[in-house]
Amino acid sequence: MLRHVQVHEESQYQKYYPQEIPGADYDSDHEYAIAENHPDRDLSAQATGQKRVSGLTYIRTPEGWLYLRAILDLADRKVVGWADLR
């Protein structure tokens, strides 16, 4: 789910703790296929460029929602790419 980032009190941004993700369907009583959960996947990499992971989060700003995606290389845990969409 979502993680929150503590915002400094002097910041113009407000803390936001959504109860549910907008537009998400939490009803699991359906006949649609459900993707497998792979908790034992190997997230280690011996060299850079072998494996990458990405994450998406959204941030409420005075101008509206900011969507942020980051791509990390698993070998050195560095950000290798990012994009934002307002």
Side-chain angles (χ1 to χ4, degrees):
M1 292 298 268
L2 298 174
R3 295 181 188 170
H4 82 276
V5 177
Q6 190 169 7
V7 180
H8 296 286
E9 289 182 17
E10 65 271 5
S11 174
Q12 62 181 337
Y13 302 110
Q14 299 176 355
K15 294 179 184 178
Y16 180 67
Y17 303 97
Q19 298 302 313
E20 294 183 357
I21 298 174
D25 181 10
Y26 294 98
D27 180 17
S28 61
D29 186 25
H30 53 71
E31 297 178 10
Y32 300 112
I34 299 174
E36 288 185 41
N37 187 5
H38 300 281
D40 294 330
R41 26 180 198 202
D42 180 20
L43 297 178
S44 62
Q46 302 303 319
T48 59
Q50 286 183 333
K51 295 180 184 177
R52 293 181 177 164
V53 294
S54 66
L56 175 70
T57 190
Y58 53 96
I59 305 162
R60 189 177 197 171
T61 69
E63 293 84 28
W65 289 99
L66 171 68
Y67 299 90
L68 178 63
R69 174 170 301 277
I71 302 171
L72 301 170
D73 190 302
L74 286 177
D76 56 7
R77 303 287 201 253
K78 291 184 179 177
V79 174
V80 294
W82 62 273
D84 63 351
L85 176 66
R86 293 183 192 259

